[in-house]
Amino acid sequence: MQVRSLLLLLALILVAAAAEAGKNKKEKTKKDGSKCEDWRWGPCVPNSKDCGLGYREGTCKDESRKLKCKIPCNWKKKFGADCKYKFESWGGCSAQTGLKTRSGILKKALYNAQCEETVYVTKPCSSKIKSKSKAKKGKGKD
């Protein structure tokens, strides 16, 4: 009989401890929250040079915050890192300009960024002719 009551007491203690742990998690997430819902975020500003880790400043009424952010080093500077586009395939090479062109349609604007609906990019035509078959290494020993 004592073993049963001891096990019951142990089970109650474990349930109470688990409930307290769940309560503490909820309090932690509420501590960081803000009642303000109309945040205005600025662009991501890199800590050095023009890409890499940085921060973004936001304001809402009389509150202000900084968030960590990252600008990929291969981002299109012309569009900004907060404008995401869906691009078509590259067009043919123009013999007059020596450039290929493709367009992109706005997919998503992050942090209220001002983005163009359609953008166009160009790149130099490749002067190399790609070969579809490559020599097999390690085969055909003499």
Side-chain angles (χ1 to χ4, degrees):
M1 190 70 170
Q2 285 182 339
V3 173
R4 281 188 181 173
S5 37
L6 184 60
L7 287 175
L8 182 60
L9 181 62
L10 183 61
L12 287 172
I13 291 172
L14 287 173
V15 168
E20 187 65 28
K23 183 179 168 185
N24 286 343
K25 276 187 180 178
K26 288 180 184 175
E27 287 175 4
K28 285 181 183 176
T29 57
K30 286 181 182 177
K31 190 190 303 182
D32 293 339
S34 171
K35 292 180 182 178
C36 193
E37 295 178 8
D38 191 28
W39 283 92
R40 301 284 178 202
W41 296 98
C44 185
V45 178
N47 292 332
S48 63
K49 298 189 181 179
D50 60 354
C51 63
L53 296 176
Y55 65 93
R56 169 187 321 276
E57 291 185 8
T59 58
C60 184
K61 297 182 183 173
D62 53 348
E63 290 183 58
S64 63
R65 286 195 182 161
K66 282 187 179 182
L67 290 179
K68 291 180 183 177
C69 61
K70 182 178 180 182
I71 298 176
C73 289
N74 63 349
W75 68 297
K76 306 293 182 206
K77 295 176 189 176
K78 180 179 172 183
F79 317 134
D82 294 331
C83 300
K84 305 297 178 188
Y85 292 91
K86 170 93 174 149
F87 283 94
E88 297 175 351
S89 299
W90 286 102
C93 183
S94 168
Q96 297 159 343
T97 62
L99 299 173
K100 294 183 192 181
T101 305
R102 71 177 177 172
S103 63
I105 298 171
L106 183 65
K107 186 168 63 170
K108 186 188 285 186
L110 304 174
Y111 297 99
N112 304 326
Q114 300 297 316
C115 304
E116 295 179 42
E117 285 295 320
T118 305
V119 293
Y120 298 92
V121 291
T122 59
K123 73 175 185 178
C125 298
S126 175
S127 59
K128 298 178 184 176
I129 299 172
K130 293 183 180 179
S131 170
K132 295 204 178 207
S133 63
K134 292 183 178 180
K136 295 180 181 178
K137 293 182 181 179
K139 299 213 175 186
K141 289 183 181 177
D142 293 310

